[in-house]
PDB file of all heavy atoms in Angstrom:
ATOM      1  N   GLU A1579      23.205  27.774  44.320  1.00  0.00           N
ATOM      2  CA  GLU A1579      22.648  26.829  43.365  1.00  0.00           C
ATOM      3  C   GLU A1579      21.724  25.871  44.089  1.00  0.00           C
ATOM      4  O   GLU A1579      21.890  25.584  45.283  1.00  0.00           O
ATOM      5  CB  GLU A1579      23.787  26.077  42.676  1.00  0.00           C
ATOM      6  CG  GLU A1579      23.351  25.397  41.399  1.00  0.00           C
ATOM      7  CD  GLU A1579      24.542  24.826  40.647  1.00  0.00           C
ATOM      8  OE1 GLU A1579      25.672  25.088  41.067  1.00  0.00           O
ATOM      9  OE2 GLU A1579      24.326  24.127  39.652  1.00  0.00           O
ATOM     10  N   ALA A1580      20.711  25.392  43.394  1.00  0.00           N
ATOM     11  CA  ALA A1580      19.743  24.488  43.986  1.00  0.00           C
ATOM     12  C   ALA A1580      20.424  23.230  44.495  1.00  0.00           C
ATOM     13  O   ALA A1580      21.412  22.742  43.924  1.00  0.00           O
ATOM     14  CB  ALA A1580      18.662  24.135  42.966  1.00  0.00           C
ATOM     15  N   ASP A1581      19.875  22.723  45.600  1.00  0.00           N
ATOM     16  CA  ASP A1581      20.382  21.497  46.222  1.00  0.00           C
ATOM     17  C   ASP A1581      21.799  21.648  46.744  1.00  0.00           C
ATOM     18  O   ASP A1581      22.523  20.681  46.903  1.00  0.00           O
ATOM     19  CB  ASP A1581      20.319  20.310  45.250  1.00  0.00           C
ATOM     20  CG  ASP A1581      18.925  19.721  45.183  1.00  0.00           C
ATOM     21  OD1 ASP A1581      18.189  19.837  46.170  1.00  0.00           O
ATOM     22  OD2 ASP A1581      18.569  19.172  44.129  1.00  0.00           O
ATOM     23  N   THR A1582      22.221  22.865  47.005  1.00  0.00           N
ATOM     24  CA  THR A1582      23.541  23.098  47.599  1.00  0.00           C
ATOM     25  C   THR A1582      23.388  24.039  48.782  1.00  0.00           C
ATOM     26  O   THR A1582      22.360  24.703  48.942  1.00  0.00           O
ATOM     27  CB  THR A1582      24.536  23.693  46.592  1.00  0.00           C
ATOM     28  OG1 THR A1582      24.019  24.951  46.129  1.00  0.00           O
ATOM     29  CG2 THR A1582      24.751  22.760  45.419  1.00  0.00           C
ATOM     30  N   ALA A1583      24.426  24.105  49.591  1.00  0.00           N
ATOM     31  CA  ALA A1583      24.447  24.985  50.758  1.00  0.00           C
ATOM     32  C   ALA A1583      25.626  25.936  50.640  1.00  0.00           C
ATOM     33  O   ALA A1583      26.697  25.549  50.188  1.00  0.00           O
ATOM     34  CB  ALA A1583      24.562  24.180  52.060  1.00  0.00           C
ATOM     35  N   THR A1584      25.392  27.161  51.025  1.00  0.00           N
ATOM     36  CA  THR A1584      26.456  28.155  51.012  1.00  0.00           C
ATOM     37  C   THR A1584      26.516  28.841  52.364  1.00  0.00           C
ATOM     38  O   THR A1584      25.473  29.141  52.967  1.00  0.00           O
ATOM     39  CB  THR A1584      26.234  29.195  49.900  1.00  0.00           C
ATOM     40  OG1 THR A1584      27.319  30.101  49.889  1.00  0.00           O
ATOM     41  CG2 THR A1584      24.950  29.964  50.109  1.00  0.00           C
ATOM     42  N   PRO A1585      27.708  29.071  52.909  1.00  0.00           N
ATOM     43  CA  PRO A1585      27.799  29.758  54.210  1.00  0.00           C
ATOM     44  C   PRO A1585      27.526  31.248  54.056  1.00  0.00           C
ATOM     45  O   PRO A1585      27.891  31.865  53.054  1.00  0.00           O
ATOM     46  CB  PRO A1585      29.244  29.483  54.642  1.00  0.00           C
ATOM     47  CG  PRO A1585      29.979  29.270  53.365  1.00  0.00           C
ATOM     48  CD  PRO A1585      29.018  28.639  52.412  1.00  0.00           C
ATOM     49  N   LEU A1586      26.880  31.842  55.031  1.00  0.00           N
ATOM     50  CA  LEU A1586      26.662  33.280  55.069  1.00  0.00           C
ATOM     51  C   LEU A1586      27.902  33.929  55.665  1.00  0.00           C
ATOM     52  O   LEU A1586      28.323  33.589  56.772  1.00  0.00           O
ATOM     53  CB  LEU A1586      25.418  33.622  55.896  1.00  0.00           C
ATOM     54  CG  LEU A1586      24.101  32.997  55.413  1.00  0.00           C
ATOM     55  CD1 LEU A1586      22.944  33.448  56.281  1.00  0.00           C
ATOM     56  CD2 LEU A1586      23.827  33.340  53.964  1.00  0.00           C
ATOM     57  N   THR A1587      28.491  34.860  54.932  1.00  0.00           N
ATOM     58  CA  THR A1587      29.745  35.497  55.339  1.00  0.00           C
ATOM     59  C   THR A1587      29.489  36.917  55.805  1.00  0.00           C
ATOM     60  O   THR A1587      28.387  37.457  55.673  1.00  0.00           O
ATOM     61  CB  THR A1587      30.739  35.485  54.181  1.00  0.00           C
ATOM     62  OG1 THR A1587      30.206  36.290  53.114  1.00  0.00           O
ATOM     63  CG2 THR A1587      30.971  34.078  53.675  1.00  0.00           C
ATOM     64  N   THR A1588      30.561  37.547  56.324  1.00  0.00           N
ATOM     65  CA  THR A1588      30.452  38.933  56.797  1.00  0.00           C
ATOM     66  C   THR A1588      30.281  39.917  55.652  1.00  0.00           C
ATOM     67  O   THR A1588      29.898  41.059  55.889  1.00  0.00           O
ATOM     68  CB  THR A1588      31.704  39.298  57.603  1.00  0.00           C
ATOM     69  OG1 THR A1588      32.870  39.043  56.801  1.00  0.00           O
ATOM     70  CG2 THR A1588      31.787  38.459  58.865  1.00  0.00           C
ATOM     71  N   SER A1589      30.605  39.532  54.436  1.00  0.00           N
ATOM     72  CA  SER A1589      30.342  40.436  53.316  1.00  0.00           C
ATOM     73  C   SER A1589      28.874  40.441  52.940  1.00  0.00           C
ATOM     74  O   SER A1589      28.395  41.400  52.342  1.00  0.00           O
ATOM     75  CB  SER A1589      31.170  40.010  52.107  1.00  0.00           C
ATOM     76  OG  SER A1589      30.816  38.703  51.701  1.00  0.00           O
ATOM     77  N   GLN A1590      28.136  39.378  53.309  1.00  0.00           N
ATOM     78  CA  GLN A1590      26.712  39.322  53.012  1.00  0.00           C
ATOM     79  C   GLN A1590      25.870  39.833  54.177  1.00  0.00           C
ATOM     80  O   GLN A1590      24.835  40.457  53.962  1.00  0.00           O
ATOM     81  CB  GLN A1590      26.331  37.883  52.666  1.00  0.00           C
ATOM     82  CG  GLN A1590      27.012  37.396  51.391  1.00  0.00           C
ATOM     83  CD  GLN A1590      27.082  35.890  51.293  1.00  0.00           C
ATOM     84  OE1 GLN A1590      26.863  35.190  52.302  1.00  0.00           O
ATOM     85  NE2 GLN A1590      27.396  35.363  50.123  1.00  0.00           N
ATOM     86  N   ILE A1591      26.290  39.606  55.393  1.00  0.00           N
ATOM     87  CA  ILE A1591      25.643  40.175  56.584  1.00  0.00           C
ATOM     88  C   ILE A1591      26.764  40.779  57.421  1.00  0.00           C
ATOM     89  O   ILE A1591      27.502  40.065  58.089  1.00  0.00           O
ATOM     90  CB  ILE A1591      24.868  39.110  57.384  1.00  0.00           C
ATOM     91  CG1 ILE A1591      23.783  38.452  56.532  1.00  0.00           C
ATOM     92  CG2 ILE A1591      24.267  39.736  58.633  1.00  0.00           C
ATOM     93  CD1 ILE A1591      22.986  37.389  57.262  1.00  0.00           C
ATOM     94  N   ASN A1592      26.881  42.083  57.372  1.00  0.00           N
ATOM     95  CA  ASN A1592      27.988  42.782  58.041  1.00  0.00           C
ATOM     96  C   ASN A1592      27.419  43.595  59.197  1.00  0.00           C
ATOM     97  O   ASN A1592      26.760  44.608  58.983  1.00  0.00           O
ATOM     98  CB  ASN A1592      28.715  43.696  57.058  1.00  0.00           C
ATOM     99  CG  ASN A1592      29.985  44.266  57.652  1.00  0.00           C
ATOM    100  OD1 ASN A1592      30.235  44.137  58.854  1.00  0.00           O
ATOM    101  ND2 ASN A1592      30.794  44.902  56.838  1.00  0.00           N
ATOM    102  N   ALA A1593      27.666  43.143  60.392  1.00  0.00           N
ATOM    103  CA  ALA A1593      27.224  43.850  61.604  1.00  0.00           C
ATOM    104  C   ALA A1593      28.431  44.254  62.431  1.00  0.00           C
ATOM    105  O   ALA A1593      28.402  44.189  63.670  1.00  0.00           O
ATOM    106  CB  ALA A1593      26.273  42.983  62.417  1.00  0.00           C
ATOM    107  N   SER A1594      29.501  44.669  61.761  1.00  0.00           N
ATOM    108  CA  SER A1594      30.731  45.023  62.470  1.00  0.00           C
ATOM    109  C   SER A1594      30.541  46.230  63.374  1.00  0.00           C
ATOM    110  O   SER A1594      31.248  46.391  64.361  1.00  0.00           O
ATOM    111  CB  SER A1594      31.850  45.283  61.465  1.00  0.00           C
ATOM    112  OG  SER A1594      31.474  46.304  60.555  1.00  0.00           O
ATOM    113  N   ILE A1595      29.585  47.121  63.034  1.00  0.00           N
ATOM    114  CA  ILE A1595      29.349  48.293  63.881  1.00  0.00           C
ATOM    115  C   ILE A1595      28.806  47.857  65.236  1.00  0.00           C
ATOM    116  O   ILE A1595      29.085  48.481  66.270  1.00  0.00           O
ATOM    117  CB  ILE A1595      28.381  49.262  63.174  1.00  0.00           C
ATOM    118  CG1 ILE A1595      28.999  49.729  61.866  1.00  0.00           C
ATOM    119  CG2 ILE A1595      28.043  50.451  64.049  1.00  0.00           C
ATOM    120  CD1 ILE A1595      28.114  50.649  61.085  1.00  0.00           C
ATOM    121  N   LEU A1596      28.056  46.775  65.268  1.00  0.00           N
ATOM    122  CA  LEU A1596      27.465  46.278  66.521  1.00  0.00           C
ATOM    123  C   LEU A1596      28.310  45.169  67.147  1.00  0.00           C
ATOM    124  O   LEU A1596      27.820  44.487  68.048  1.00  0.00           O
ATOM    125  CB  LEU A1596      26.051  45.750  66.254  1.00  0.00           C
ATOM    126  CG  LEU A1596      25.021  46.762  65.744  1.00  0.00           C
ATOM    127  CD1 LEU A1596      23.758  46.035  65.332  1.00  0.00           C
ATOM    128  CD2 LEU A1596      24.709  47.794  66.815  1.00  0.00           C
ATOM    129  N   ASN A1597      29.516  44.990  66.658  1.00  0.00           N
ATOM    130  CA  ASN A1597      30.291  43.830  67.070  1.00  0.00           C
ATOM    131  C   ASN A1597      30.584  43.843  68.567  1.00  0.00           C
ATOM    132  O   ASN A1597      30.671  42.801  69.204  1.00  0.00           O
ATOM    133  CB  ASN A1597      31.593  43.781  66.276  1.00  0.00           C
ATOM    134  CG  ASN A1597      32.211  42.385  66.308  1.00  0.00           C
ATOM    135  OD1 ASN A1597      31.549  41.409  66.644  1.00  0.00           O
ATOM    136  ND2 ASN A1597      33.474  42.305  65.978  1.00  0.00           N
ATOM    137  N   HIS A1598      30.739  45.051  69.148  1.00  0.00           N
ATOM    138  CA  HIS A1598      31.036  45.134  70.578  1.00  0.00           C
ATOM    139  C   HIS A1598      29.799  44.913  71.438  1.00  0.00           C
ATOM    140  O   HIS A1598      29.894  44.866  72.661  1.00  0.00           O
ATOM    141  CB  HIS A1598      31.621  46.508  70.888  1.00  0.00           C
ATOM    142  CG  HIS A1598      30.674  47.633  70.613  1.00  0.00           C
ATOM    143  ND1 HIS A1598      30.440  48.094  69.333  1.00  0.00           N
ATOM    144  CD2 HIS A1598      29.898  48.360  71.444  1.00  0.00           C
ATOM    145  CE1 HIS A1598      29.556  49.080  69.398  1.00  0.00           C
ATOM    146  NE2 HIS A1598      29.210  49.258  70.658  1.00  0.00           N
TER     147      HIS A1598
END
Side-chain angles (χ1 to χ4, degrees):
E1579 198 172 353
D1581 280 333
T1582 60
T1584 183
L1586 301 182
T1587 64
T1588 55
S1589 61
Q1590 296 159 345
I1591 301 180
N1592 189 350
S1594 57
I1595 299 178
L1596 298 171
N1597 199 17
H1598 63 282

